[in-house]
Amino acid sequence: MADVVVPASARAAELIPARYRNPGDHFFKLVVLGLSSSIILLAVVMPVVLFIEAAPTFRAFGFMDFLTETTWDPVAAIHGAWPFVVGTLITSFGALLIAALPAIAVAIFVSEYAPKWLARVINYTVDLLAAIPSVVIGLWAIFNFAPMMRDLVYMPIYMWAIEEAEWLIPIIGAPSTYNLITATLILALMIVPYTVALSRDAIAQVPVEQREASWALGSTRWEVIRQAVLPYARTGIVAGLLLSLARGLGETMAVAMLIGNRNRMPFTLFGPAATMPSVIINEFREAVEPLHYSSTMAVGLYLFVVTIGINLLASYIQRKLSISKGVL
Amino acid sequence: MQNDTTDATATGTATSAATAQAPRHIATVNDKLQTPDGNTVRLETRDLSVRYGISTFGVQNISAQIYDQNVTALIGPSGCGKSTYLRALNRMHDLGTDIEVTGEVYLDGENLYAPKMDPVVVRRRVGMVFQKPTPFPTKSIYDNVAAGLRLVGVRNRATLDEVVEQSLKDAALWDEVKDRLRSPGGSLSGGQQQRLCIARALAVGPEVLLMDEPTSSLDPMATARIEELIQKLKHKVTIIIVTHNMQQASRVSDYTAFFYVGELVELGPTQEIFSNPRELRTQEYFSGEFS
């Protein structure tokens, strides 16, 4: 008996039944499955609930007519989302326009030019900016930034326009402290960290071979960036810009604090306006009338659809329009 | 190991070709000297060392001469420093951090590591082809080849057309792509991409072309085409090729340098190195005692 050497594997086969499965295996799988499906369920339930709650509004005004109706007057029971759609588009696209170039420049600087220690300092600071709660940024802007901009920038421009360029008046309007342009600027400040981080990631994806190929042709640093880095990172940067846009679309607190909350078109740059998130946060508490309530829900549904749409578009660009297919 | 050739060049005389060509260099070391076997020195390294960090040597004290219109193969086991040496020749190490290059590299008698020498200019004169084909994926075939020319400010359409066509012909790719110069470089096969990269490197008219294992990611057919191409190109440009494949070295090269643990063990005519190596370590490598 003792002198028969049984291979370890054979002994293991005797000890453990062939079909043995740890019962914990099954349990764990169920837990993980349950938790992940609850996330999916949430994502599905959310728009369904929004739609059900918004249904009275759509029944009263029509899905498209509610979108294009320019009056929002709860007292007269007339509700239209158009002013908020316009306000949201202006602030978020405006913010993206303002933020994009500086943010991409920062990303290029930290990945291509800055020495390691400086890149680390800048990255850390930018990340810190993203960590500031938006209500804090809003507070600072309410008490410092907005009055300062009104006195030092908007008023002088307005006074000058009255004298020299009267055609500008309908566009800029009389300066108020809380207005469209201030909200846009603050929104730009708030999406910069996202744009920087996402552009930085896109640039980091550029293979070292691409850079070296460009160097080996006798490129200078700028030429390497233009020839190898940016073309390769382009899709990633565009996707990053879209994600930043989606972030700007949904940003609520700081914008609601700064935009002045005027529900009626036309908007002017220096005058108050409103966005989809700002009208929701300002009116949901007072919305006692069923139609008023369902109208805020309907605005929420629009916002949800647009944000999801932009996020999907961004991930589509990131995944499908990859560099190898030569698109973008 | 290098002494005999060095002595020979020191007593050699400048060729008529060298004197006819106006010298543009500052420091003359051996202005295109001819060796007894009729070769002209194109590139020479003196005590070239590359150090990673403080103490790790990639290569140490490499003195070698590379002859014009010849193919020189750098062979040796992985990690022996052959690629490190190659990348020192067009100052690619400048781009890394914590890499120190000491010694001199003379191209036509001009020290590429002289303080006033611009590495960007060095890389235009010493072109490079990499292990993996690296076309710019978003650029068209045409724009890939023209990339280097545009860098030096060539805008004239006719000139660009001419150089692109000539470079693609030199790289034996013209017939395959002449009808689709506008399609992206990434749409070509691996072997075609590598020839595109060769065309791109040739377009700026380099004096030396460095090839870092250019066929290691290609199939045998594509490899054969590149090898054939190397044979043709050596009359236009001095070629230095790193290869881990000894058969390839024997097929394509006129001279072979054997590297081992950061040292240049032996450099000589390929036939001699393969049939009758002087150094024991070379013999051992060929007989497969280490790899």
Side-chain angles (χ1 to χ4, degrees):
Chain A
M1 245 341 243
D3 53 345
V4 179
V5 181
V6 183
S9 55
R11 261 179 297 161
E14 280 169 25
L15 290 171
I16 305 166
R19 292 175 155 272
Y20 173 81
R21 296 279 296 272
N22 185 337
D25 212 25
H26 191 61
F27 176 72
F28 185 71
K29 186 180 155 193
L30 277 182
V31 169
V32 171
L33 187 71
L35 288 174
S36 33
S37 40
S38 69
I39 296 287
I40 297 170
L41 198 69
L42 260 180
V44 176
V45 163
M46 199 84 80
V48 170
V49 168
L50 274 174
F51 191 82
I52 292 170
E53 297 283 352
T57 294
F58 293 134
R59 263 199 300 276
F61 304 105
F63 191 82
M64 288 317 286
D65 289 344
F66 176 69
L67 179 70
T68 51
E69 170 61 54
T70 57
T71 308
W72 177 275
D73 189 347
V75 179
I78 300 172
H79 295 279
W82 192 245
F84 316 119
V85 172
V86 170
T88 301
L89 291 181
I90 293 177
T91 48
S92 48
F93 275 96
L96 186 67
L97 268 179
I98 296 166
L101 279 184
I104 293 171
V106 169
I108 290 174
F109 179 75
V110 294
S111 12
E112 304 291 324
Y113 289 94
K116 268 190 188 138
W117 66 268
L118 183 59
R120 210 173 298 145
V121 170
I122 294 175
N123 287 339
Y124 190 75
T125 315
V126 168
D127 293 347
L128 203 68
L129 202 59
I132 302 175
S134 73
V135 68
V136 175
I137 293 187
L139 263 187
W140 163 72
I142 278 187
F143 292 114
N144 288 287
F145 184 72
M148 185 193 79
M149 290 299 281
R150 179 198 58 203
D151 296 343
L152 296 183
V153 181
Y154 309 148
M155 275 318 276
I157 291 179
Y158 183 66
M159 300 311 281
W160 169 83
I162 288 175
E163 301 280 321
E164 307 281 339
E166 228 170 289
W167 56 271
L168 261 179
I169 300 293
I171 301 171
I172 60 177
S176 62
T177 312
Y178 308 120
N179 59 32
L180 194 59
I181 189 80
T182 304
T184 306
L185 286 171
I186 290 301
L187 194 55
L189 175 73
M190 293 178 65
I191 64 173
V192 155
Y194 294 89
T195 319
V196 170
L198 293 163
S199 310
R200 210 170 53 199
D201 291 350
I203 289 172
Q205 299 289 315
V206 179
V208 76
E209 293 92 6
Q210 283 289 317
R211 293 167 198 266
E212 287 192 338
S214 185
W215 282 116
L217 277 180
S219 297
T220 59
R221 192 172 287 277
W222 155 237
E223 286 159 348
V224 171
I225 294 170
R226 206 187 50 183
Q227 189 174 64
V229 175
L230 288 182
Y232 210 95
R234 182 161 72 183
T235 34
I237 291 176
V238 170
L241 290 179
L242 282 176
L243 288 173
S244 306
L245 177 69
R247 158 105 201 137
L249 286 171
E251 176 49 48
T252 309
M253 218 42 234
V255 173
M257 289 163 88
L258 289 166
I259 200 159
N261 303 310
R262 172 192 159 99
N263 294 349
R264 203 166 304 129
M265 301 258 279
F267 296 143
T268 56
L269 278 184
F270 295 166
T275 65
M276 293 195 265
S278 81
V279 74
I280 293 174
I281 197 139
N282 281 319
E283 302 203 359
F284 77 98
R285 263 180 274 99
E286 305 146 20
V288 282
E289 291 297 321
L291 197 59
H292 192 187
Y293 167 80
S294 75
S295 295
T296 53
M297 281 293 182
V299 172
L301 183 67
Y302 282 154
L303 186 61
F304 183 84
V305 169
V306 171
T307 315
I308 290 282
I310 290 195
N311 271 304
L312 287 179
L313 183 65
S315 52
Y316 175 78
I317 286 177
Q318 264 174 336
R319 249 178 300 130
K320 299 285 163 153
L321 306 186
S322 67
I323 210 80
S324 55
K325 291 174 185 131
V327 198
L328 260 179
Chain B
M1 66 231 162
Q2 225 10 71
N3 286 346
D4 45 357
T5 36
T6 317
D7 290 344
T9 37
T11 52
T13 49
T15 60
S16 53
T19 29
Q21 201 178 20
R24 54 168 165 174
H25 46 75
I26 315 128
T28 305
V29 169
N30 47 13
D31 182 24
K32 284 210 165 188
L33 291 179
Q34 215 165 23
T35 58
D37 45 352
N39 281 311
T40 309
V41 176
R42 174 63 96 171
L43 195 97
E44 179 173 5
T45 63
R46 294 200 163 180
D47 290 326
L48 187 75
S49 298
V50 180
R51 208 160 56 176
Y52 297 106
I54 296 163
S55 57
T56 319
F57 277 94
V59 290
Q60 205 165 359
N61 298 327
I62 311 283
S63 296
Q65 291 178 324
I66 308 291
Y67 300 126
D68 192 23
Q69 302 214 350
N70 275 297
V71 178
T72 304
L74 313 183
I75 61 168
S78 308
C80 67
K82 51 193 193 299
S83 285
T84 303
Y85 176 70
L86 190 79
R87 292 165 69 89
L89 303 182
N90 67 341
R91 295 189 62 169
M92 287 301 271
H93 291 308
D94 289 22
L95 307 169
T97 47
D98 276 351
I99 302 178
E100 194 194 11
V101 181
T102 53
E104 290 114 44
V105 177
Y106 293 97
L107 174 61
D108 296 337
E110 199 175 353
N111 184 3
L112 300 182
Y113 281 88
K116 279 190 178 170
M117 186 60 78
D118 183 351
V120 167
V121 175
V122 168
R123 292 185 203 115
R124 282 174 194 156
R125 293 175 62 188
V126 183
M128 191 164 196
V129 174
F130 298 86
Q131 199 166 342
K132 270 202 329 207
T134 54
F136 299 128
T138 53
K139 283 190 202 265
S140 68
I141 292 169
Y142 184 99
D143 290 337
N144 259 285
V145 182
L149 287 170
R150 293 206 167 109
L151 286 179
V152 292
V154 179
R155 291 283 176 272
N156 183 301
R157 194 75 213 179
T159 316
L160 286 174
D161 284 349
E162 194 187 315
V163 178
V164 167
E165 179 174 345
Q166 189 55 49
S167 308
L168 285 168
K169 279 179 175 163
D170 287 344
L173 189 60
W174 175 252
D175 290 331
E176 289 157 65
V177 301
K178 63 183 175 200
D179 300 322
R180 47 172 178 147
L181 292 172
R182 292 284 148 219
S183 30
S187 66
L188 298 172
S189 74
Q192 288 174 325
Q193 285 189 10
Q194 194 60 299
R195 276 180 281 145
L196 178 64
C197 292
I198 292 173
R200 184 175 66 186
L202 291 175
V204 283
E207 292 149 69
V208 178
L209 184 60
L210 310 176
M211 303 178 116
D212 192 354
E213 302 195 14
T215 61
S216 63
S217 65
L218 303 182
D219 62 62
M221 285 296 291
T223 301
R225 294 209 62 169
I226 301 270
E227 288 181 2
E228 194 184 323
L229 176 60
I230 291 171
Q231 287 300 311
K232 278 191 204 142
L233 282 177
K234 71 175 184 184
H235 303 295
K236 289 203 166 197
V237 57
T238 305
I239 295 176
I240 308 174
I241 176 172
V242 165
T243 174
H244 60 256
N245 178 336
M246 283 192 284
Q247 282 72 41
Q248 181 168 69
S250 72
R251 281 194 301 264
V252 302
S253 72
D254 305 295
Y255 287 83
T256 295
F258 173 61
F259 282 75
Y260 186 62
V261 213
E263 272 180 59
L264 174 61
V265 175
E266 191 166 354
L267 166 61
T270 299
Q271 268 190 326
E272 266 178 46
I273 295 269
F274 274 80
S275 59
N276 191 19
R278 277 167 294 173
E279 294 283 329
L280 183 63
R281 281 178 291 179
T282 319
Q283 290 169 18
E284 284 173 350
Y285 180 61
F286 285 149
S287 60
E289 290 192 20
F290 54 83
S291 61

